[in-house]
Amino acid sequence: MENLVVWTLYFFSFYAFLPAFISRTFGFRVFKKGLVKKEIALTFDDGPDAVYTPKLLELLARYDAKATFFIVGAHGEAHPELLRKIHEEGHTLGIHNYVHRTNWFMRPRSVKRQIERTCEIIREATGSRSNYYRPPWGIINVFDFAGIGHLQIVLWSSMFGDWNRRLGAERLKRKMLKKLRPGEVLLLHDCGQTPGAHHEAPANMLVALESYLQEGCKQGFRFVAIEEMIKLTERAKERQLSWWKKSLIALWLQYERVFHLLFQLKQVGEDSPPAFHYRTISYSGQPIELADGQRLNKGDRVVELHFDNRKLSGIAAEAASPLAAGIRMLREVEAALPRLASQLAHDPDAVDAKAIYGVTMIHRGADRLGFEVFPLPSGLFARTTRIYLRLLMRVLTKKQRNAKSKERRKSIDPCMLLMPMSKMQAYQNMHAALLRVSSGQAAAADSVPPVEGSTSAI
């Protein structure tokens, strides 16, 4: 007898308790909360109900809110017209078994039949199959992870006990308003016909929900169906960096600070972060003929540019690809060149510099800024630089897997950029013109007489 009890406990632990615990605690193979900025997912279980579901649909329509209905198949079979109405009004239908019975006390085959039967009821009523499944009470057995085919299991982030009529509309409203936050997946009920629920409880839910929708719209939230919440979350996760990438970037930024201190790099402009820093060094490469007729020889003084790594990490985090990051960086350089020219004109260390010099992955479009593009001379420096810069962009941006990826990798192959100092005069003139325009606008603003009743800043 003792062995029977032990084996029974083992069975229920692996069949039911552990899968339910893992899915609820760690979100394994289930969706329960979104990673979004202004979206909330409303979900309703146990319907449709002939009395409360039509009232709920009217309420959602008034606030232009979309929701997800996890239906009990038997209820949907009795009210196919409500399934059609839910579908036609742009809401999503999900599966909540044919009868409201826990998966713990059903064999995997029985669970599968319940799901398939409910899915067919939805298909017959709407012409579309459901892609979402919520097990009754959120209870999952070990076979649900593999046995439900194409369906996405959806749980919830907030539950309020709205099936209990004694909770009351006012208390329910207060509990719901505490969860007025982006990414929430709210569990509510539009039917009180299942075990443990009161048949009049959805009336309180409708009162509380109206206040919730009203306040949510006032604060700029959008109420979306579960498929939109999942899509937005997947996009946000693609943009998020893993912990190891974040750690590498943090170390890389610390390395940059040390490098700037050791080699005394100067910041261009007063922005934080700036576009780039520079230092004056002796050129150590092979002789190069510049476009203005000068020859850059080994030992000549050059201004070496360094793009700011904080700026780069911010650009890369928002960019869809390494190429997009490169284009944005090129624009930042273009905007900062007039400031650089003005700063170099007043820097005694740069008086004898022959050219602006830098090594970068960005060379497409650099020529229109006045730079000349040269391949890195073969050797250890070229190989290590190529590896470093490619690894850097792989850490900072998403990996591209398409037919043009090879061409894009080539477009960000590291090259050497050079600009004769003679060309910086044009950027210096541009900076001076911008300052004149800016001071002229300020003077014009100062000359405008104050409006009666207004106050002036000191």
Side-chain angles (χ1 to χ4, degrees):
M1 183 64 184
E2 184 179 343
N3 286 338
L4 179 61
V5 172
V6 170
W7 281 107
T8 301
L9 287 173
Y10 277 148
F11 174 78
F12 274 102
S13 293
F14 287 102
Y15 180 75
F17 301 142
L18 283 178
F21 173 77
I22 291 170
S23 63
R24 286 298 307 161
T25 306
F26 303 106
F28 177 72
R29 297 289 298 277
V30 302
F31 184 85
K32 62 177 186 175
K33 191 169 185 179
L35 187 63
V36 292
K37 294 181 179 178
K38 277 294 182 180
E39 287 77 23
I40 295 172
L42 301 172
T43 68
F44 300 92
D45 285 7
D46 300 354
D49 181 273
V51 175
Y52 296 110
T53 302
K55 293 179 180 179
L56 173 58
L57 290 172
E58 290 176 11
L59 176 60
L60 294 172
R62 285 205 301 274
Y63 290 91
D64 194 25
K66 300 304 176 189
T68 305
F69 292 77
F70 290 97
I71 69 156
V72 171
H75 297 168
E77 194 171 40
H79 301 288
E81 75 286 352
L82 289 178
L83 299 186
R84 282 192 290 274
K85 187 172 177 62
I86 290 169
H87 178 72
E88 288 167 358
E89 294 189 7
H91 305 291
T92 296
L93 285 162
I95 298 165
H96 201 45
N97 283 358
Y98 181 76
V99 294
H100 202 279
R101 186 183 302 160
T102 174
N103 291 9
W104 279 5
F105 301 129
M106 290 192 292
R107 293 177 299 168
R109 193 172 178 181
S110 299
V111 174
K112 189 175 181 180
R113 281 202 298 264
Q114 294 251 343
I115 292 171
E116 288 176 347
R117 187 172 179 183
T118 306
C119 191
E120 186 60 22
I121 289 167
I122 293 172
R123 191 196 64 76
E124 288 178 356
T126 67
S128 301
R129 291 172 59 86
S130 176
N131 295 315
Y132 304 100
Y133 174 59
R134 173 176 287 164
W137 295 291
I139 293 173
I140 293 169
N141 68 50
V142 70
F143 295 101
D144 289 339
F145 292 128
I148 60 174
H150 69 287
L151 297 174
Q152 165 71 59
I153 299 174
V154 178
L155 298 183
W156 58 85
S157 61
S158 297
M159 178 172 62
F160 309 100
D162 63 310
W163 58 84
N164 182 0
R165 188 182 66 164
R166 288 181 295 178
L167 181 65
E170 186 60 31
R171 283 176 61 198
L172 177 58
K173 180 185 82 172
R174 291 198 298 269
K175 290 177 72 174
M176 289 175 64
L177 287 174
K178 290 179 181 178
K179 299 294 184 178
L180 190 60
R181 302 181 302 205
E184 291 288 342
V185 178
L186 271 56
L187 169 58
L188 298 165
H189 298 79
D190 61 328
C191 178
Q193 304 297 328
T194 50
H198 193 281
H199 65 280
E200 294 180 357
N204 291 333
M205 182 275 293
L206 290 172
V207 173
L209 179 62
E210 181 157 18
S211 297
Y212 186 83
L213 289 169
Q214 194 173 42
E215 183 61 27
C217 290
K218 190 186 298 181
Q219 294 188 28
F221 286 101
R222 287 197 315 124
F223 298 95
V224 300
I226 201 67
E227 65 260 40
E228 184 172 353
M229 179 68 81
I230 291 173
K231 286 178 183 176
L232 291 171
T233 299
E234 287 174 349
R235 289 176 195 161
K237 285 181 177 179
E238 286 177 359
R239 292 193 295 269
Q240 273 194 333
L241 296 175
S242 61
W243 67 268
W244 69 269
K245 283 189 175 184
K246 288 179 180 178
S247 301
L248 284 175
I249 291 170
L251 289 171
W252 174 59
L253 292 176
Q254 287 300 324
Y255 160 78
E256 182 190 45
R257 289 179 185 175
V258 173
F259 183 88
H260 285 189
L261 287 172
L262 286 176
F263 295 98
Q264 299 182 333
L265 268 68
K266 300 175 184 179
Q267 177 176 317
V268 176
E270 298 179 358
D271 294 343
S272 183
F276 38 68
H277 307 259
Y278 73 92
R279 61 174 177 162
T280 307
I281 62 168
S282 296
Y283 178 69
S284 58
Q286 297 297 320
I288 292 178
E289 294 291 337
L290 300 176
D292 64 351
Q294 292 191 72
R295 181 181 176 86
L296 187 63
N297 296 305
K298 188 173 182 178
D300 287 340
R301 303 292 286 172
V302 293
V303 174
E304 183 183 70
L305 290 183
H306 293 263
F307 201 90
D308 185 83
N309 286 344
R310 286 174 300 161
K311 175 80 79 173
L312 173 58
S313 62
I315 290 172
E318 298 173 0
S321 68
L323 185 58
I327 293 169
R328 171 80 185 278
M329 288 166 63
L330 194 64
R331 289 173 181 165
E332 293 286 345
V333 170
E334 183 176 20
L337 280 174
R339 289 196 296 272
L340 172 65
S342 177
Q343 195 163 325
L344 291 177
H346 299 89
D347 187 345
D349 291 337
V351 171
D352 59 346
K354 270 192 175 182
I356 308 292
Y357 163 83
V359 176
T360 178
M361 292 176 290
I362 312 164
H363 56 83
R364 181 179 291 179
D367 54 342
R368 68 180 178 83
L369 302 182
F371 287 101
E372 298 174 53
V373 182
F374 299 92
L376 282 177
S378 300
L380 180 61
F381 176 76
R383 290 195 296 272
T384 55
T385 301
R386 189 172 289 109
I387 292 170
Y388 165 73
L389 291 177
R390 285 188 174 176
L391 283 175
L392 175 63
M393 293 307 290
R394 185 165 182 176
V395 168
L396 292 176
T397 62
K398 292 180 290 184
K399 187 177 180 181
Q400 301 296 296
R401 295 183 180 90
N402 53 46
K404 295 184 178 179
S405 61
K406 188 173 181 180
E407 179 184 343
R408 290 181 178 181
R409 284 197 300 270
K410 185 178 178 182
S411 71
I412 60 169
D413 202 39
C415 290
M416 184 168 58
L417 298 184
L418 285 166
M419 180 191 294
M421 289 300 292
S422 58
K423 288 193 176 181
M424 290 302 289
Q425 184 62 46
Y427 283 107
Q428 188 179 350
N429 295 338
M430 186 187 301
H431 186 262
L434 289 171
L435 287 177
R436 285 196 299 273
V437 170
S438 177
S439 60
Q441 289 175 343
D446 290 340
S447 66
V448 175
V451 178
E452 186 177 352
S454 68
T455 57
S456 59
I458 298 173

